[in-house]
């Protein structure tokens, strides 16, 4: 009898690929959705790459509420907790993203430990293992923790750090059989299963569609969603992964380099990709006076710190693909799914 794996947030970008890969691997999969209306969309997305063949089940549970989690983990062997109720925080209300991320992780862990789940793999973020200053030079690894008390941190970074900290603190007081592993990805790109939830992939869509007027001076450690799922599954099964953090970042790539890859690699479909780099001061002015959503990215302007994935490669045998392949596969998938119109 195959193992049962619970994937949280089945309608999400990463979760959809996790479900598909687990089904390919012969696992029985259960996934959480916030309401029954999302079931059809998840089935359609996953079925586009693999036949669920009666091995995909659903449980209704929300990370912001206690109800449903005990039923979700009943009979489950392992959990991939990839869902996180994160978005942009409203000005002056940072707890709007911090509390749900932290409390949601704890809900999953309480239910999992209560059910005797063997291992929980939780998706954190590379910026939970980063120096406070994005501009700091150098390479850091999993031994570094972002300081959540730094007043300059944007709510997203603080939320991810506090959620992972809370998870490890909870497990430190747990004496049962359940093990915890965390995976800390960089910027996740790659092909999409559906355009309903695309996460960070929206950046590529905006570049290819010409909706982005220029390119900010931001560098991303690009990891392919397929490689991110691979490291989750490896972390879920490898005995030596128990109790460990694993960075899962990719090549450090400036957005201007992404633009060149898209223009050169997409042919006619890349002609609308902008090439003009926007000065840092112009981005900061726009964030202050015209577009408040840009405030989340201004601390990353000129960011040069990088992360080491030596641990994931050594312990798990993980090998991510080149960023160029990921970016182009992402763009082609968005065009194929109609998220970006082909150039005339």
């Amino acid at each position: 009898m195959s193992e049962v794996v619970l994937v949280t947030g089945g309608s999400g970008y990463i979760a959809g690929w996790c479900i598909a890969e687990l089904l390919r691997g012969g696992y029985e999969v259960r996934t959480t959705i916030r309401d029954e209306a999302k079931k059809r969309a998840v089935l359609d997305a996953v079925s586009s790459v693999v036949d669920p063949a009666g091995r995909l089940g659903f449980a209704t549970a929300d990370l912001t509420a206690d109800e449903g989690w005990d039923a979700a983990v009943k009979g489950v062997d392992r959990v991939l907790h990839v869902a996180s109720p994160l978005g942009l925080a409203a000005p002056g209300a940072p707890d709007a993203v911090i509390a749900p991320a932290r409390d949601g992780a704890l809900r999953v862990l309480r239910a999992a430990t209560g059910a005797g789940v063997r291992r929980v793999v939780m998706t954190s973020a590379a910026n939970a293992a980063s120096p406070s200053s994005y501009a700091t030079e150098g390479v850091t690894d999993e031994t570094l923790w972002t300081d959540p008390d730094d007043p300059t941190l944007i709510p997203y970074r603080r939320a991810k750090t506090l959620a992972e900290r809370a998870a490890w603190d909870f497990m430190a007081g747990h004496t049962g059989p359940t093990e915890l592993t965390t995976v800390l990805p960089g910027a996740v790109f790659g092909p999409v299963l559906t355009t309903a939830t695309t996460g960070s992939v929206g950046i590529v869509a905006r570049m290819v569609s010409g909706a982005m007027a220029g390119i900010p001076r931001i560098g991303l450690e690009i990891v392919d969603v397929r490689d991110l799922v691979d490291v989750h599954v490896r972390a879920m099964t490898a005995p030596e992964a128990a109790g460990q953090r694993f960075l899962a970042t990719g090549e450090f790539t400036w957005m201007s380099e992404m633009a060149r890859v898209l223009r050169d690699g997409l042919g006619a479909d890349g002609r609308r990709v902008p090439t003009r780099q926007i000065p840092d001061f112009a981005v900061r002015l726009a964030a202050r006076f015209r577009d408040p959503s840009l405030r989340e990215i201004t601390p990353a302007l000129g960011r040069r710190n990088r992360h080491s994935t030596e641990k994931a490669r050594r312990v798990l045998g993980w090998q991510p693909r080149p960023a160029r392949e990921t970016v182009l596969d992402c763009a082609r998938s968005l065009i194929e799914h109609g998220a970006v119109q082909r150039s005339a």
Side-chain angles (χ1 to χ4, degrees):
M1 185 175 178
S2 62
E3 288 190 328
V4 180
V5 181
L6 176 71
V7 179
T8 63
S11 60
Y13 176 46
I14 298 171
W17 279 105
C18 283
I19 294 167
E21 187 59 29
L22 290 166
L23 290 171
R24 284 196 191 106
Y27 291 95
E28 298 283 335
V29 182
R30 186 181 303 159
T31 189
T32 60
I33 50 177
R34 282 182 300 223
D35 58 72
E36 286 289 314
K38 294 183 178 291
K39 183 184 295 187
R40 184 72 261 166
V42 175
L43 279 169
D44 289 346
V46 173
S47 298
S48 69
V49 291
V50 64
D51 181 4
R55 292 182 293 117
L56 175 58
F58 293 85
T60 302
D62 190 318
L63 290 175
T64 62
D66 294 332
E67 293 77 19
W69 287 105
D70 288 341
V73 298
K74 186 176 181 180
V76 165
D77 298 287
R78 304 174 191 271
V79 173
L80 297 185
H81 175 40
V82 297
S84 185
L86 289 179
L88 293 177
D95 285 347
V97 294
I98 294 171
R102 179 190 59 227
D103 298 347
L106 293 176
R107 285 187 173 95
V108 173
L109 286 173
R110 289 191 192 101
T113 54
V117 168
R118 294 172 62 183
R119 183 173 297 173
V120 176
V121 179
M122 173 180 164
T123 311
S124 181
N127 58 25
S130 302
S132 294
S133 171
Y134 269 125
T136 301
E137 297 278 357
V139 179
T140 56
D141 62 19
E142 295 87 351
T143 61
L144 179 68
W145 276 90
T146 299
D147 178 8
D149 296 323
D150 186 326
T152 66
L153 289 187
I154 62 173
Y156 175 82
R157 287 188 71 190
R158 182 174 286 112
K160 278 296 192 182
T161 304
L162 290 174
E164 190 189 350
R165 273 289 193 193
W168 285 116
D169 289 345
F170 176 86
M171 293 304 295
H174 172 65
T175 57
T178 306
E179 302 165 336
L180 175 65
T181 302
T182 57
V183 173
L184 290 66
V188 186
F189 296 102
V192 299
L193 298 178
T194 173
T195 57
T197 52
T198 54
S200 54
V201 169
I203 295 173
V204 174
R206 293 190 67 214
M207 293 174 76
V208 176
S209 68
M212 191 177 290
I215 304 297
R217 196 169 62 98
I218 290 177
L220 305 170
E221 291 174 290
I222 295 173
V223 61
D224 194 291
V225 66
R226 296 162 294 187
D227 296 331
L228 179 57
V229 170
D230 177 54
V231 77
H232 274 77
V233 175
R234 289 170 184 265
M236 182 185 81
T237 56
E240 56 270 43
Q244 300 294 323
R245 307 174 87 198
F246 291 98
L247 279 159
T249 56
E251 291 180 68
F252 183 90
T253 307
W254 292 106
M255 285 185 66
S256 58
E257 295 172 324
M258 288 176 61
R260 285 196 294 272
V261 165
L262 291 168
R263 285 186 71 94
D264 295 343
L266 293 179
D269 288 326
R271 67 179 60 174
R272 290 174 296 188
V273 177
T275 57
R276 182 177 68 90
Q277 184 156 289
I278 305 172
D280 293 355
F281 78 87
V283 177
R284 293 190 175 97
L285 282 174
R288 184 173 181 182
F289 297 109
R290 295 202 306 272
D291 188 353
S293 67
L294 292 175
R295 293 172 188 166
E296 295 281 300
I297 71 167
T298 53
L301 292 169
R303 154 178 157 2
R304 296 178 183 275
N305 174 258
R306 301 177 308 285
H307 296 88
S308 169
T309 58
E310 188 277 333
K311 183 177 178 180
R313 295 169 188 264
R314 171 174 47 84
V315 177
L316 302 177
W318 185 58
Q319 187 65 44
R321 70 198 71 199
R324 175 185 174 83
E325 179 182 339
T326 296
V327 170
L328 287 174
D329 283 355
C330 179
R332 290 168 180 149
S333 176
L334 288 166
I335 293 169
E336 179 184 341
H337 282 80
V340 178
Q341 297 299 313
R342 289 190 177 276
S343 294

